[in-house]
Amino acid sequence: MTLYLVLLLPFVGALGAGLLRATARNVEAWLAGVVALSCAGILATYYPDMAAGRVVQVAVDWLPQYGLTFGLRLDGYAWMFAMLVTVIGALVVVYARYYMSPADPVPRFFSFLLAFMGSMLGVVLSGNLIQLVMFWELTSFTSFVLIAYWYHRTDARAGARMALTVTAAGGMCLLAGVLMMGHIAGSYDLDRVLAAADTIRAHALYPWLLTLVLLGAFTKSAQFPFHFWLPRAMAAPTPVSSYLHSATMVKAGVFLLARLWPILSGTDLWFAIVCSAGLASLLVGAYAATFQRDMKGVLAYSTISHLGLITLLLGMNSTLALVAAVFHMLNHATFKASLFMAAGIVDHETGTRDLKRLGGLYHAMPITATLAMVAAAAMAGVPLLNGFLSKEMFFAETIFAGEALWLRILLPATAILAGMFSVAYSARFIRQVFFGTAPGELPRTPHEPTRWMLLPSATLVLLCLLVGMLPGRTIGPVLDLATRAILNGERMPVYSLKVWHGLNMPLLMSAAAFIGGLAIHAWLTRLGHPEGVLTPLFRRFDGKRAFSILQVRLTRGATRLVNGISSTRLQTQLALIVVAVIAAASVATLGQLKVDLMTELAQIDPAFALLWVVGAACAIGAALQAKFHRLAALIMVGCAGLVTSLTFAWFSAPDLALTQVSVEVVTTVLLLLGLRWMPKRLAMELRNRDTMRARVRRVRDATLAIVAGLGMAMLAYVVLTQPAGPGIRDFIVKNALPGGGGHNIVNVILVDFRGFDTFGEITVLGIVALTIYKLLRRFRPAPEVMTSSAQKRDPARELPDPRDPVPKGVMLVPAIIGRLLLPMAGVVSVFFLLRGHNAPGGGFVGGLVMATGFIAQYLVNGTLWVESRLRIHPQYWIAGGLLCAAGAGCLAWFASLPFMSAIVWEPKLPLLGKLHLSSVLVFDLGVYLLVVGTTTLMLIALAHQSLRSHRRPAEAEEMTSVRMVR
Amino acid sequence: MELIYSLAVGIFCACGVWLLLRPRTFQVILGLALLSYATNLFIFAMGRLTLDRPPLIDPNVVPDASMFDDPIPQALVLTAIVIGFATTALFLVMLIASRGFTGTDHVDGVEKDE
């Protein structure tokens, strides 16, 4: 279980560091350092297990229904990598403590860094493939935030975006590949997938899954042609480059290739793809590194090249090459991290990383220079250093890798060529920074940095030396147990980690690379390291350019597509919707229509027909008048609503009729209140009413409307003339009384059968009311309605005085009647509420009636008069209603029943006899309260706008005077 | 009966669609109101049309589904009516706010020059 700590500690640390104050400077560094070292310490205690070849596994259920566990699996290889991550992590933390400027938000940096460490450990220790991909994506994300750490810089943002796009897209491919692998193996568990290696390689999907997995690995490890993101990621702070973009994260790709090596390798396809990608990256990286101006640029391309070397080794399908690859992963991490640190020190102390401006720093900072020289020598492959050993192994492998003759020539030749460039850029890196003289003034006077900044770099260089001189004693056992773990029981190759193997072919190749590299360096120095002379060769293959072009094309294409198939204009959008609906409905309706006109005509009830003559006339009238005669149109729509309500009553739906009538009242009041805020519109104002376009549009819309109406009528008729299916009505009708305890089936459905639905619905009502309230608080009325209308300026028509007991003037009689109305409305509403369960009525209707009573007060007495006497506080009604309804639902829990079950209590009381009390009444009371609150909140908020515009002119004047004083 | 009912739904729907496609916000609100009447009537009619059989149980008679109009569409329409009111109110406020911010009552917030 302590293994979980290794994964957990970094994330906990990240959270802790993130919570620290931005000015804390030492605490977070200590925190990060302690976390990294404790993880390394815990891992170190597992060494005996690893040395004995055991695999430590822990797992808890994650998604058991998919057979997924959240498991950690520590074997030799994972152990080696986890140690690499934590040890270099600890060194980077020390380095970063002195590198980062106090002006930066350092806790954030350490928080991200620790989160990355955790993610990387997650990748390394994952026991199943899905979990691995999850942590893989997390490393992409943490890398993104770390590259964009100085987010005020454009290059940092662009670099971070590019890195995320490339690596996360690769991660998606990897996920697809892993899913296929799991599908074939029948499990995502690493052990079971490893066991199914032969099945996977023989499966028809193997080429696909291999390609997808390789896409994931190559994007992560910056392999050609996806290498372009890595140089742009150098915009990150140098500790990040040193940690993520050389030592650990970019190694995740090759880590995975090695991890899956027993499963995927061994085929010609593997050899072809992996080797060519590795070879191309090796060469392109080394070549491009030679021509960089930026110190970090040189190191970034060199990283691409070295990762290419590892990839190439992994592609060779030989166990010996695998050993070399693992060995080089370690070696590269040590010397490259230390070189990045040196580059950071130079940048930190001189203020520039430009190779053209630097020079002669050996005298100012001899220790840094010495450390950088040793590390660069390791990078170039100088004997007695660790880079030499793995490079020798690499050279040896190239000779024997291919069977075809051209491969046996091509591979060693390319290896020597890449080796030459590697020597050339290493030599240049050292010579131009530390020797010669600087061409001009440096931004800062250079001097040796603090010892603590040198310590991490020195530690790594010491490791380079130790491994280089005593490989068998130092790295030998670790390499052995790591490779053994990868091979998973396969026969280990025989190799010897000696410095001197005698005079053999690889040594000759090394010598050739050295001489050639120094020659290239001398030649380029004589030319003054021209830029853009040879690199144009590569501009055509520049992945960054392809990436940008792709990005721009995609964006443009998407914009064009959106413009092509949609419109920003509401009318067009709505017309499209209507057309689509008509098309869909006509498929269902056409050919089903049979009208027997004679029997239909005989059945017609003249009263009903007359009712609908009125209804149709109102609807059509409203449609025609809505533009210029809003009030008339509104009245006609109200009329149409009444006709609808009567229709409901006609066809046995008294509840609907009641609700429709009460809603009609409040809707009309609402729209009346809104009318005030519309602009004036007179028919003669519009000169262009009869232009050609307008006429065409009207004809189009009329056609659409008629087609829609006809279609709807047809659809309704087709349905109505067919017998109804069985549905669930039998069940509901049978259970309404015994189960729901109510005689009014509609109400029983609302508060009992579908109580949860109603609960959601009243919540929506409350939200809408609050939204309206909030929207109106920020409301800015149109300028011309700010001034009072002609009617309001009429001196005979005064606003009611709030102090009067009854309003004077024309409103006297309505006010008296309205006041008598309120208690009656209250009684009626409660009556509807209480009887709702057994007869037409219920919470909705009751609430609307009560709200109407309140609104009538506002209408006849005026807002000021009412509010000086009666504060309704609709918010409390809404809250109370929701609590009531939810409480009624929760009551069921006390009877160990599910939420919203009805609880019935039938006590026998003296005098009153047997009572029927049910929790649904409480629920309906909630509905009632909420409907009252919602309706009054909306309408009062609207009514208050008129008050505001009264006050506005005065306030506006005040504002202007204040501004003028200022 | 069914014919008139269907024609009624159709006429409401046609007027609603016509208003929905108009350029002024108030027209659109009225259009939505008419369209929601049509929709509610349509959904209500899914239980077929029955006269004088409201879904109220007489406790002295064993209930049977054929004795009542289908209560399920009624329940659905009842909540739809109330929600319809809420959305109308929301639209109205949007209309007023949009008019205040843009100075026009055109649905797109800009007056088109034609």
Side-chain angles (χ1 to χ4, degrees):
Chain A
M1 277 300 142
T2 43
L3 200 51
Y4 277 119
L5 271 185
V6 178
L7 190 61
L8 210 59
L9 274 180
F11 285 112
V12 174
L15 199 66
L19 293 175
L20 288 173
R21 275 182 298 116
T23 46
R25 201 159 147 65
N26 282 321
V27 187
E28 71 273 1
W30 274 110
L31 177 73
V34 166
V35 165
L37 282 179
S38 351
C39 288
I42 296 172
L43 284 167
T45 60
Y46 283 99
Y47 183 74
D49 283 318
M50 298 300 113
R54 277 192 288 271
V55 178
V56 182
Q57 300 223 40
V58 283
V60 287
D61 271 349
W62 180 19
L63 292 170
Q65 62 270 42
Y66 296 109
L68 277 186
T69 54
F70 190 92
L72 299 184
R73 180 182 185 278
L74 185 72
D75 63 3
Y77 181 50
W79 184 84
M80 179 201 92
F81 233 94
M83 280 307 265
L84 184 78
V85 170
T86 47
V87 171
I88 295 195
L91 295 175
V92 166
V93 166
V94 176
Y95 177 76
R97 158 67 185 82
Y98 295 93
Y99 177 85
M100 299 305 287
S101 144
D104 288 321
V106 184
R108 195 152 57 87
F109 177 82
F110 281 107
S111 173
F112 291 161
L113 202 72
L114 283 174
F116 165 75
M117 190 190 288
S119 317
M120 193 64 206
L121 286 171
V123 170
V124 171
L125 296 176
S126 280
N128 80 60
L129 294 171
I130 300 284
Q131 186 190 336
L132 187 144
V133 176
M134 190 186 82
F135 281 111
W136 178 285
E137 291 289 42
L138 261 181
T139 59
S140 293
F141 173 70
T142 40
S143 151
F144 168 75
V145 289
L146 279 168
I147 298 172
Y149 175 70
W150 286 315
Y151 54 77
H152 49 88
R153 279 170 39 181
T154 330
D155 61 332
R157 289 199 304 272
R161 223 168 21 234
M162 189 185 280
L164 183 68
T165 315
V166 175
T167 54
M172 283 293 158
C173 295
L174 177 63
L175 178 62
V178 158
L179 286 174
M180 286 185 190
M181 229 188 288
H183 171 72
I184 299 171
S187 166
Y188 296 108
D189 193 71
L190 193 55
D191 286 319
R192 297 202 29 207
V193 178
L194 282 169
D198 293 330
T199 328
I200 292 173
R201 273 198 303 271
H203 201 274
L205 282 175
Y206 171 74
W208 293 101
L209 76 90
L210 179 67
T211 315
L212 288 167
V213 169
L214 289 182
L215 275 174
F218 290 167
T219 47
K220 198 75 164 180
S221 279
Q223 292 299 287
F224 185 84
F226 308 110
H227 62 285
F228 53 90
W229 68 267
L230 189 60
R232 270 92 202 165
M234 292 299 131
T238 304
V240 173
S241 311
S242 152
Y243 190 34
L244 272 71
H245 302 129
S246 75
T248 55
M249 192 196 84
V250 288
K251 294 260 165 44
V254 285
F255 166 82
L256 185 77
L257 289 187
R259 182 90 275 181
L260 301 179
W261 198 82
I263 304 171
L264 298 177
S265 75
T267 61
D268 288 342
L269 190 64
W270 169 274
F271 180 81
I273 304 180
V274 180
C275 278
S276 29
L279 202 63
S281 314
L282 171 68
L283 210 55
V284 169
Y287 178 75
T290 321
F291 296 94
Q292 297 301 311
R293 265 184 81 163
D294 182 2
M295 284 174 83
K296 280 172 80 175
V298 176
L299 297 177
Y301 277 104
S302 145
T303 303
I304 295 170
S305 164
H306 281 271
L307 289 168
L309 190 154
I310 299 171
T311 309
L312 181 56
L313 280 168
L314 289 169
M316 284 177 182
N317 285 337
S318 111
T319 46
L320 210 53
L322 177 72
V323 176
V326 175
F327 192 22
H328 201 67
M329 282 182 210
L330 283 174
N331 292 342
H332 177 253
T334 43
F335 66 69
K336 192 52 73 62
S338 116
L339 274 173
F340 264 112
M341 288 176 183
I345 291 173
V346 169
D347 188 16
H348 197 255
E349 302 303 328
T350 64
T352 179
R353 297 195 311 249
D354 190 342
L355 286 177
K356 296 245 160 184
R357 292 177 68 188
L358 288 164
L361 290 183
Y362 185 81
H363 303 290
M365 33 175 75
I367 306 176
T368 313
T370 314
L371 291 175
M373 273 188 276
V374 178
M379 175 161 79
V382 174
L384 295 181
L385 291 163
N386 60 355
F388 171 75
L389 295 174
S390 44
K391 201 162 245 186
E392 286 285 277
M393 289 168 93
F394 166 62
F395 282 152
E397 281 310 303
T398 55
I399 305 170
F400 306 110
E403 280 164 16
L405 184 66
W406 63 275
L407 272 176
R408 303 187 69 154
I409 296 172
L410 176 76
L411 280 177
T414 327
I416 295 176
L417 191 62
M420 289 198 297
F421 278 114
S422 164
V423 171
Y425 67 67
S426 305
R428 176 183 178 221
F429 184 82
I430 293 304
R431 210 189 58 85
Q432 284 207 314
V433 176
F434 296 107
F435 297 99
T437 48
E441 273 295 293
L442 289 170
R444 266 177 243 151
T445 321
H447 58 81
E448 203 70 78
T450 138
R451 267 180 304 171
W452 291 104
M453 215 162 161
L454 287 169
L455 178 77
S457 181
T459 315
L460 290 171
V461 167
L462 189 68
L463 281 175
C464 288
L465 280 165
L466 278 177
V467 171
M469 285 190 264
L470 301 165
R473 296 259 181 86
T474 52
I475 202 71
V478 175
L479 192 59
D480 182 65
L481 65 90
T483 327
R484 238 175 244 287
I486 296 177
L487 287 174
N488 200 25
E490 234 179 280
R491 205 169 52 82
M492 276 290 284
V494 183
Y495 63 92
S496 92
L497 281 178
K498 275 191 302 191
V499 179
W500 178 250
H501 284 104
L503 193 66
N504 55 9
M505 194 62 186
L507 193 67
L508 288 179
M509 286 166 78
S510 273
F514 263 103
I515 296 164
L518 290 174
I520 292 176
H521 175 62
W523 181 58
L524 284 177
T525 313
R526 187 156 347 123
L527 292 178
H529 268 283
E531 283 156 48
V533 176
L534 291 162
T535 35
L537 210 82
F538 274 82
R539 204 156 284 164
R540 296 206 75 90
F541 306 104
D542 190 358
K544 185 209 162 207
R545 202 160 146 264
F547 180 82
S548 314
I549 292 173
L550 188 70
Q551 210 175 20
V552 169
R553 289 225 178 115
L554 266 179
T555 318
R556 279 206 201 126
T559 319
R560 215 172 292 149
L561 189 67
V562 168
N563 288 344
I565 60 171
S566 78
S567 160
T568 53
R569 291 178 43 211
L570 185 72
Q571 286 163 276
T572 319
Q573 291 173 11
L574 287 175
L576 284 175
I577 292 175
V578 170
V579 168
V581 171
I582 292 175
S586 50
V587 172
T589 324
L590 286 180
Q592 304 266 341
L593 189 66
K594 289 182 218 78
V595 187
D596 187 356
L597 210 56
M598 286 325 287
T599 45
E600 277 297 332
L601 287 176
Q603 281 180 358
I604 286 174
D605 186 333
F608 187 65
L610 198 61
L611 178 69
W612 272 101
V613 169
V614 175
C618 283
I620 294 169
L624 296 178
Q625 297 300 324
K627 188 162 191 180
F628 298 109
H629 303 282
R630 294 194 187 108
L631 184 60
L634 180 55
I635 294 170
M636 283 189 273
V637 168
C639 234
L642 280 182
V643 171
T644 310
S645 161
L646 283 174
T647 308
F648 287 140
W650 197 288
F651 292 111
S652 332
D655 277 286
L656 288 191
L658 272 175
T659 316
Q660 182 75 55
V661 165
S662 12
V663 162
E664 214 46 61
V665 174
V666 284
T667 311
T668 310
V669 173
L670 182 84
L671 292 176
L672 279 173
L673 285 171
L675 277 184
R676 192 184 180 297
W677 308 101
M678 318 269 171
K680 265 187 200 161
R681 176 158 295 114
L682 301 173
M684 51 270 200
E685 261 179 26
L686 287 169
R687 294 170 306 255
N688 46 19
R689 192 172 146 71
D690 290 319
T691 56
M692 193 60 199
R693 269 182 76 181
R695 225 176 284 153
V696 167
R697 189 171 329 116
R698 277 206 298 278
V699 169
R700 182 200 72 185
D701 290 353
T703 321
L704 267 182
I706 290 167
V707 172
L710 270 179
M712 190 84 169
M714 270 162 61
L715 189 60
Y717 190 78
V718 168
V719 176
L720 283 175
T721 48
Q722 279 166 9
I728 51 168
R729 60 199 276 204
D730 280 334
F731 171 83
I732 288 192
V733 167
K734 289 221 168 64
N735 287 288
L737 192 55
H743 298 134
N744 181 357
I745 307 177
V746 174
N747 187 269
V748 173
I749 293 177
L750 282 178
V751 298
D752 200 330
F753 286 119
R754 295 175 55 84
F756 197 57
D757 183 51
T758 310
F759 182 59
E761 192 167 56
I762 58 174
T763 315
V764 172
L765 274 184
I767 292 169
V768 169
L770 292 172
T771 313
I772 286 175
Y773 176 70
K774 206 64 202 163
L775 273 175
L776 286 173
R777 296 269 298 213
R778 296 258 163 187
F779 163 62
R780 200 177 58 185
E784 82 262 12
V785 288
M786 299 271 281
T787 51
S788 298
S789 58
Q791 288 90 331
K792 285 238 168 106
R793 278 194 298 263
D794 184 359
R797 207 187 148 281
E798 276 176 19
L799 278 175
D801 185 352
R803 280 158 300 189
D804 284 347
V806 284
K808 293 192 193 80
V810 286
M811 290 310 279
L812 177 64
V813 176
I816 300 289
I817 297 176
R819 212 166 302 171
L820 288 174
L821 196 70
L822 184 59
M824 279 155 70
V827 170
V828 170
S829 73
V830 173
F831 169 69
F832 273 138
L833 167 68
L834 291 180
R835 75 172 207 151
H837 212 43
N838 293 323
F844 281 113
V845 180
L848 286 166
V849 170
M850 189 69 226
T852 314
F854 282 136
I855 293 154
Q857 304 307 306
Y858 273 80
L859 280 177
V860 293
N861 294 320
T863 313
L864 291 175
W865 192 93
V866 174
E867 293 195 341
S868 63
R869 283 164 176 75
L870 170 74
R871 297 296 288 192
I872 298 175
H873 297 299
Q875 290 94 326
Y876 296 158
W877 290 74
I878 294 178
L882 273 180
L883 285 175
C884 220
C890 297
L891 270 183
W893 290 340
F894 294 104
S896 308
L897 287 169
F899 187 61
M900 288 282 169
S901 309
I903 307 240
V904 183
W905 183 46
E906 291 186 324
K908 268 196 185 139
L909 296 178
L911 289 175
L912 291 170
K914 192 179 160 196
L915 280 184
H916 176 86
L917 295 175
S918 166
S919 64
V920 296
L921 183 64
V922 185
F923 184 79
D924 220 9
L925 177 69
V927 175
Y928 171 88
L929 294 174
L930 187 121
V931 170
V932 174
T934 309
T935 317
T936 41
L937 182 64
M938 288 175 190
L939 291 170
I940 292 175
L942 259 176
H944 272 249
Q945 298 309 313
S946 302
L947 286 187
R948 278 174 56 159
S949 76
H950 273 296
R951 260 184 260 129
R952 267 300 156 83
E955 269 174 23
E957 261 168 45
E958 249 172 60
M959 290 291 287
T960 1
S961 59
V962 168
R963 218 168 282 148
M964 281 168 73
V965 168
R966 273 187 195 159
Chain B
M1 252 350 154
E2 278 77 12
L3 188 65
I4 297 186
Y5 194 92
S6 316
L7 284 177
V9 171
I11 289 171
F12 272 19
C13 175
C15 296
V17 168
W18 163 260
L19 282 176
L20 200 64
L21 299 173
R22 298 299 84 218
R24 303 292 152 189
T25 44
F26 191 69
Q27 293 173 307
V28 175
I29 287 193
L30 291 191
L32 282 171
L34 285 176
L35 207 54
S36 63
Y37 294 149
T39 316
N40 287 343
L41 284 170
F42 182 76
I43 296 174
F44 171 61
M46 289 304 102
R48 306 302 181 271
L49 304 176
T50 14
L51 292 171
D52 301 324
R53 268 181 270 168
L56 300 170
I57 298 170
D58 181 348
N60 303 318
V61 181
V62 180
D64 180 81
S66 61
M67 291 161 63
F68 311 110
D69 186 39
D70 191 348
I72 299 164
Q74 291 197 23
L76 295 179
V77 170
L78 199 149
T79 49
I81 293 172
V82 182
I83 285 282
F85 161 66
T87 44
T88 308
L90 190 60
F91 275 129
L92 183 78
V93 172
M94 300 275 278
L95 178 168
I96 296 173
S98 138
R99 157 102 174 95
F101 280 117
T102 61
T104 164
D105 67 339
H106 193 280
V107 283
D108 292 331
V110 279
E111 206 65 53
K112 279 199 309 293
D113 296 318
E114 299 179 41

